[in-house]
Amino acid sequence: MSKRVASVLVTGAMVAVLAACGSGGGGSADKGSGHKLVVGFSQVGAESGWRTANTKSIQEAAKKAGVELKFSDAQQKQENQIKAIRSFIQQKVDVIAFSPVVESGWDTVLKEAKDAHIPVILTDRAVDSKDESLYVSFLGSDFVEEGKKAGEWLVKEYAAASGDVNVVQLEGTTGSAPANDRKSGFADAVKGEPKFKVVASQTGDFTRAKGKEVMQAFLKSQPKIDVLYAHNDDMALGAIQAIEEAGRKPGTDIKIVSVDGVKDAFTAMSQGKINFDVECNPLLGDQLMDLAKKVKAGEQVPRRIKTEEGTFTPEQATAALPNRQY
Ligand code: GZL
C-alpha cells in the first residue's frame, strides 16, 4: 500500500516549529491574553471533492484550535478573493490566509495587508509575486512533482509500446499554480520519449461538468486517443462519463492518469476506470492553524512547508478505500 506521508518537509534555514506544537488541537488560541485569534480565510470555491475536503479540514481545525475563522468562498473568481482580503483588512483580523485561484495579480492587495501590518499565509496554491515580504509562509504541495509522478508512471506503463501514444490533457484552471505546474512537471517527465504525443490540451477548470464537456470534444476531434492525463480527479470523473457515453471503456480503451486521490476516484480505480492517481493532500487545516498561532505570536516560521504525498495504483486505492477520509 502506497505510503501516504503527510509529514511536513521544511525548506529554508528555519527550524520546523510545527512538529513541536503538537496537533494544534485543544485549548484556545488566545494564550491567556483573552483575545481569540481571528483568521480571515479566502477559499477558491467549491469546485471539486478536493476543495470541499480542504474547506472541511480548515473549518474543523479552526474550531479545534479555538480560532475565530472568517471564511469566504470566492466561487473561483479572483475579484471575489481580493474583495474578501480587503474586508479582512477592514475588520482588522490577526492573520489572513488564502488559496490564490490564479498565480498573478495579487501584489496590490497583499501590499494593503502589509501596510495594515496583517501577516498573510498562502495555503494550497502559490502566487508569482517577486516581493517575498508580501506573505510569511506557503503551505502546500509541490505540483511540479505531482505532474512529474504522473508522467513517470506513463513512461513506465508504455515502456514496451513501439508506436505513437496519443495523450489528451485536461488542464486545471487557466493561470492557476496547479495547472501550470502539473502541466510542466508532466511535460518534463515525458520529454525524452518521442512516442508520447500530446494531441490535445484544454482547461476543464477542475470541474466534472467542464471535464466531461471538453472530453466529449476531444473524442469528436481526435481519431486516436490512448491516454487521458487529467490535472484533477473531478475532471477525470467527468471525462469517464463522456468516454462511456461514446461507447468506449475508460481504463482500458483509454487509460487515465489523474491527480488528487479523492474517494470517488478511488472507487473508479477499483472499477478499473482510472489507472493511476497521484495524491494531493487537502488536509492542511491543523498545520494552518498552528502556523497562524505562531505567526501571531511573532515566532519564526518556515517560508515554505511542503506536504509529502503518495501515489496510488488501483490495487492500493481499493485497499485504501474503506478508510479514505475524503
Ligand atoms: C491542488 C488544488 C486543486 C486540486 C483541485 O492543491 O489547488 O484545486 O487539485 C482543486 O481538485 O480544484
Side-chain angles (χ1 to χ4, degrees), residues 29-31 33 35-39 67 92-96 116-121 136 288-301:
D30 67 6
K31 288 192 182 297
S33 65
H35 167 72
K36 210 173 161 81
L37 181 70
V38 181
V39 173
V67 167
K92 299 188 181 352
V93 299
D94 295 308
V95 176
I96 291 170
H117 307 293
I118 300 177
V120 173
I121 297 171
V136 291
L288 172 59
M289 295 309 148
D290 289 339
L291 257 182
K293 282 189 217 171
K294 292 200 170 345
V295 166
K296 180 62 191 160
E299 293 175 32
Q300 298 264 4
V301 294

Side-chain angles (χ1 to χ4, degrees), residues 44 47-51 76 99 124-125 141 143 146 178 182 205-206 231-234 259-260 280:
V44 166
E47 73 282 2
S48 65
W50 189 99
R51 187 65 56 196
Q76 288 188 282
S99 170
D124 169 30
R125 298 184 185 179
S141 306
F143 302 130
E146 292 171 349
R182 285 173 185 166
D205 211 16
F206 284 131
H231 289 185
N232 85 327
D233 290 340
D234 282 72
V259 187
D260 274 354
C280 179

Side-chain angles (χ1 to χ4, degrees), residues 28 36 101 103 119 202 285:
S28 155
K36 210 173 161 81
V101 61
E103 287 191 291
Q202 197 180 324

Side-chain angles (χ1 to χ4, degrees), residues 155-171:
V155 168
K156 271 206 281 310
E157 183 72 8
Y158 282 87
S162 47
D164 285 353
V165 178
N166 287 1
V167 182
V168 292
Q169 180 172 215
L170 282 171
E171 299 180 25

Side-chain angles (χ1 to χ4, degrees), residues 115-138:
D115 294 346
H117 307 293
I118 300 177
V120 173
I121 297 171
L122 300 182
T123 74
D124 169 30
R125 298 184 185 179
V127 297
D128 61 8
S129 172
K130 300 285 168 283
D131 180 353
E132 295 217 335
S133 73
L134 295 178
Y135 60 90
V136 291
S137 187
F138 166 37

